[in-house]
Amino acid sequence: MHSIAGKCNTCRFCPGRKRGLCKAVTGEDELRLLARAHGPLSFVPARRPIFVEGDPTGSVYTLVSGWAFNYVHLSDGRRQILSFSLPGDLIGGELTHCYTKGAETLTDATICGLSHETVRDLMHRFPAIDERLLWLLRRNDAI
């Protein structure tokens, strides 16, 4: 995974925004704050991990472009795919210390990361983000 130069200052036109966490942000001031809050977009080539089981958590990602999947390793060594992710889907929404599942790209992908600290700050500032995050986490758990 490597950063794409500069920050994404076009959150308003982000293809992942229609379905993602950022859907809850609607005002111009909120969009500008969001654009400053996240780090640079990251490019992840096809068939590469975004993170693996056991990695320390620290960020929540929105898939901006491409496809990815979440998986767990079974006790017999096989890998079980749990779900597929499309642009706008939340990846790594675990607010624990370590990821309990892995995520890997299926195609070339672009992701936008927000640190847990930033997510908590945005949730306090914008209740709509808090509601959207809870909805996305429940949806991910239901899949």
Side-chain angles (χ1 to χ4, degrees):
M1 174 170 36
H2 65 274
S3 295
I4 298 173
K7 290 191 175 203
C8 175
N9 292 317
T10 57
C11 290
R12 161 180 275 208
F13 304 107
C14 174
R17 186 168 137 63
K18 293 177 187 175
R19 296 177 29 142
L21 177 63
C22 306
K23 180 179 182 177
V25 178
T26 56
E28 288 298 319
D29 291 338
E30 294 169 337
L31 283 168
R32 278 192 289 278
L33 177 65
L34 184 64
R36 288 192 307 267
H38 65 72
L41 296 176
S42 296
F43 173 77
V44 185
R47 300 183 179 266
R48 302 286 182 172
I50 298 169
F51 53 82
V52 297
E53 294 170 84
D55 276 355
T57 59
S59 294
V60 174
Y61 302 99
T62 298
L63 187 63
V64 175
S65 68
W67 285 50
F69 61 91
N70 294 296
Y71 65 89
V72 293
H73 282 104
L74 303 174
S75 58
D76 63 6
R78 294 180 298 153
R79 182 168 66 173
Q80 179 177 355
I81 294 176
L82 302 172
S83 63
F84 291 94
S85 300
L86 302 173
D89 285 346
L90 192 68
I91 300 175
E94 300 176 54
L95 300 177
T96 58
H97 295 292
C98 294
Y99 291 111
T100 59
K101 56 190 171 201
E104 186 174 309
T105 57
L106 194 57
T107 65
D108 287 349
T110 304
I111 58 174
C112 174
L114 288 170
S115 72
H116 286 178
E117 182 179 317
T118 299
V119 171
R120 281 191 285 278
D121 180 51
L122 291 171
M123 287 168 58
H124 290 299
R125 288 179 184 222
F126 307 111
I129 286 182
D130 188 19
E131 292 170 20
R132 183 71 181 161
L133 178 62
L134 291 173
W135 186 87
L136 289 167
L137 291 172
R138 282 194 305 264
R139 185 190 72 183
N140 284 355
D141 283 346
I143 294 178

